[in-house]
């Protein structure tokens, strides 16, 4: 197995924008322990400025332990049903073991292209804040297999 470099700066651009902006991918599947509707809105808004043919599938893995705020839940529903209809899907892990993983998988035409794994939850604090987070590229096929199991 080849080792990948750690990405610890410009995470938002490197992990969440570049593969789409370069035209290599059109769909992002995310497993994150925690996430926010503000992040999803901001991210979808940015990607839609590049091209409206983008899709995000988000799984939040810690919901059964820590819950989801009513505000976030309502906003996720609004994103899915109104603002980004057919571009956004969000689900919560509510049975089985909680999932604290953070995995981001870019695909094109249902084929995994590039994936990242690391410490950054799908939140503005993690991707746009001043804290220290790290991500690394991993096998896109293996990451998609993991996403499908979750």
């Amino acid at each position: 197995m080849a080792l990948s470099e750690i990405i610890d700066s410009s995470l938002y651009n490197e992990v969440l924008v570049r593969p789409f902006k370069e035209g290599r991918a059109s769909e992002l599947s995310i497993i994150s322990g925690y996430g926010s509707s503000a992040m999803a809105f901001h991210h979808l808004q940015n990607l839609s400025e590049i091209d409206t043919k983008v899709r995000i599938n988000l799984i939040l893995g810690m919901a059964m332990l820590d819950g989801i705020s009513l505000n976030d839940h309502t906003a996720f529903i609004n994103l899915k049903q109104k603002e980004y209809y057919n571009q956004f899907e969000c689900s919560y892990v509510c049975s089985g073991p909680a999932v604290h993983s953070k995995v981001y998988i870019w695909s094109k035409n249902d084929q995994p292209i590039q994936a990242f794994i690391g410490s950054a939850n799908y939140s503005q604090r993690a991707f746009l804040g001043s804290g220290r987070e790290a991500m690394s590229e991993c096998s896109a096929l293996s990451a998609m297999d993991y996403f499908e199991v979750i």
Side-chain angles (χ1 to χ4, degrees), residues 19-20 22-27 105-114:
F20 180 72
E22 292 176 350
R24 294 183 284 122
S26 57
E27 185 168 352
I105 310 126
W106 281 103
S107 303
K108 188 165 191 170
N109 301 322
D110 295 321
Q111 297 299 313
I113 304 295
Q114 188 174 22

Side-chain angles (χ1 to χ4, degrees), residues 3-136:
L3 299 176
S4 295
E5 291 185 26
I6 290 178
I7 303 165
D8 64 351
S9 63
S10 302
L11 284 182
Y12 183 82
N13 185 55
E14 294 300 317
V15 174
L16 300 181
V17 176
R18 184 184 303 270
F20 180 72
K21 189 173 186 177
E22 292 176 350
R24 294 183 284 122
S26 57
E27 185 168 352
L28 179 60
S29 299
I30 303 167
I31 301 168
S32 182
Y34 303 95
S36 71
S37 58
M39 178 64 179
F41 177 79
H42 173 80
H43 190 203
L44 282 159
Q45 189 175 45
N46 286 164
L47 294 178
S48 292
E49 289 171 2
I50 297 167
D51 188 338
T52 58
K53 294 186 188 295
V54 63
R55 181 159 175 79
I56 294 177
N57 305 303
L58 173 63
I59 297 174
L60 297 177
M62 297 299 288
M64 63 185 263
L65 290 182
D66 296 326
I68 301 288
S69 75
L70 182 57
N71 286 342
D72 271 329
H73 178 68
T74 302
F76 284 138
I77 290 170
N78 186 52
L79 287 172
K80 175 187 166 63
Q81 294 180 347
K82 295 178 185 171
E83 293 184 64
Y84 290 97
Y85 181 74
N86 283 335
Q87 290 180 271
F88 179 73
E89 185 73 37
C90 181
S91 45
Y92 313 136
V93 174
C94 295
S95 64
V99 179
H100 198 259
S101 309
K102 290 89 171 174
V103 182
Y104 299 80
I105 310 126
W106 281 103
S107 303
K108 188 165 191 170
N109 301 322
D110 295 321
Q111 297 299 313
I113 304 295
Q114 188 174 22
F116 302 89
I117 190 167
S119 65
N121 280 304
Y122 190 63
S123 67
Q124 290 178 318
R125 176 175 287 164
F127 278 96
L128 301 169
S130 59
R132 300 280 312 206
E133 302 287 349
M135 302 295 289
S136 184

